[in-house]
C-alpha cells in the first residue's frame, strides 16, 4: 500500500472569528484541510460555531473541511455537516453508543467518517471498529479548549493505532489534535500520525501559510528520518 502524503489542517478555533473568510483564505495553497471545531457547551464546556457558519464558509473556500464535532447526540447532527459539504466529519466515541452505524450514515451522505478519542479514553476498545472509519482523531490534550499544552504520553495511543492499522493494512488517517506546533509535530509524526491539526501555531504566526509549510516540512523530516 502506498504511503499517503501528510496532512496539515489549520484549526479555525485559533482564527479571528470576526474575519473567518479572510483567515481561511490566508492558508489556501498551503493547508490540506481546514479543521473546524464544533463545540456545544454540553459535551465540552465551551461553545464555538455550528452548521450555519460551516455552510457560509463552505461557499468561501475550496479547502476540504475537516469537521470535529465535540457535541452530544452526534447521530442527530453529524449528517447535516456531511450534507453541507464537509469532506470529513469526526465525532467522539464517548458521545455515541453506535459509532459504526453513524459512520455508515456519514459515508452514505458523501463524507469521510472519523472517530475521535479524548484524552482520558483508552483506545483499545475501539481498535476493532477502525475498518468502518476513514480517520481516527487522537486528542493530545483534553477536548474543549484551544491553546493547551501538548501531552506527549498520549502518543502511546497513536503508536498503538499505527501498529493496528499497519498490521491490518487499513486505509485510515491517524490524526492528532492538541498542542501541535513546531516543537511537537515531529514527535507526533514519528509516533505514526499522518494528519496534524494546528491552531495557534498557524493563526498565531505572522504568515499562516508559511507556518503550515514549515509544520509539514518538520513532519516529513521526522517520517523520512532525515
Amino acid at each position: 500500500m502506498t504511503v499517503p502524503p501528510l496532512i496539515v489542517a489549520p484549526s479555525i478555533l485559533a482564527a479571528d472569528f470576526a474575519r473567518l473568510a479572510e483567515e481561511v483564505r490566508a492558508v489556501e495553497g498551503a493547508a490540506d484541510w481546514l479543521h473546524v471545531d464544533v463545540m456545544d457547551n454540553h459535551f465540552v464546556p465551551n461553545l464555538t460555531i455550528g452548521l450555519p457558519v460551516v455552510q457560509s464558509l463552505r461557499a468561501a473556500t475550496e479547502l476540504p473541511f475537516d469537521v470535529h464535532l465535540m457535541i452530544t447526540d452526534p447521530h442527530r447532527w453529524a449528517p447535516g455537516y456531511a450534507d453541507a459539504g464537509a469532506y470529513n466529519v469526526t465525532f467522539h466515541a464517548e458521545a455515541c453508543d453506535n459509532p459504526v452505524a453513524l459512520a455508515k450514515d456519514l459515508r452514505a451522505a458523501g463524507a469521510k467518517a472519523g472517530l475521535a478519542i479524548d484524552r482520558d479514553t483508552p483506545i483499545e476498545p475501539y481498535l476493532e471498529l477502525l475498518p468502518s472509519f476513514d480517520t481516527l482523531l487522537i486528542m493530545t490534550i483534553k477536548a474543549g479548549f484551544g491553546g493547551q499544552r501538548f501531552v506527549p504520553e498520549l502518543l502511546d495511543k497513536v503508536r498503538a493505532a499505527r501498529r493496528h492499522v499497519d498490521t491490518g493494512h487499513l486505509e485510515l488517517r491517524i490524526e492528532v489534535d492538541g498542542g501541535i506546533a513546531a516543537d511537537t509535530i515531529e514527535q507526533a509524526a514519528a509516533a505514526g500520525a499522518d494528519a496534524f491539526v494546528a491552531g495557534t501555531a498557524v493563526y498565531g504566526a505572522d504568515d499562516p501559510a508559511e507556518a503550515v509549510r514549515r509544520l509539514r516540512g518538520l513532519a516529513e523530516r521526522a517520517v523520512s528520518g532525515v
Side-chain angles (χ1 to χ4, degrees), residues 85-128:
Y87 172 78
N88 184 74
V89 180
T90 295
F91 58 91
H92 270 263
E94 304 86 1
C96 187
D97 58 3
N98 194 339
V100 172
L102 181 48
K104 289 179 180 176
D105 289 347
L106 288 170
R107 286 174 164 179
K112 303 286 188 182
L115 183 69
I117 304 293
D118 204 358
R119 180 192 66 187
D120 300 327
T121 301
I123 196 171
E124 288 75 16
Y126 299 98
L127 292 176
E128 296 304 320

Side-chain angles (χ1 to χ4, degrees), residues 1-7 172-173 194:
M1 207 164 45
T2 58
V3 177
L6 301 180
I7 293 289
L172 180 84
R173 285 278 180 192
D194 56 19

Side-chain angles (χ1 to χ4, degrees), residues 181-220:
D183 60 343
T184 59
I185 194 168
E186 292 178 88
Q187 300 173 56
D194 56 19
F196 309 89
V197 178
T200 306
V202 171
Y203 282 113
D206 292 335
D207 185 339
E210 180 56 33
V212 170
R213 287 188 283 266
R214 182 181 179 219
L215 288 170
R216 185 185 294 103
L218 290 168
E220 289 174 345

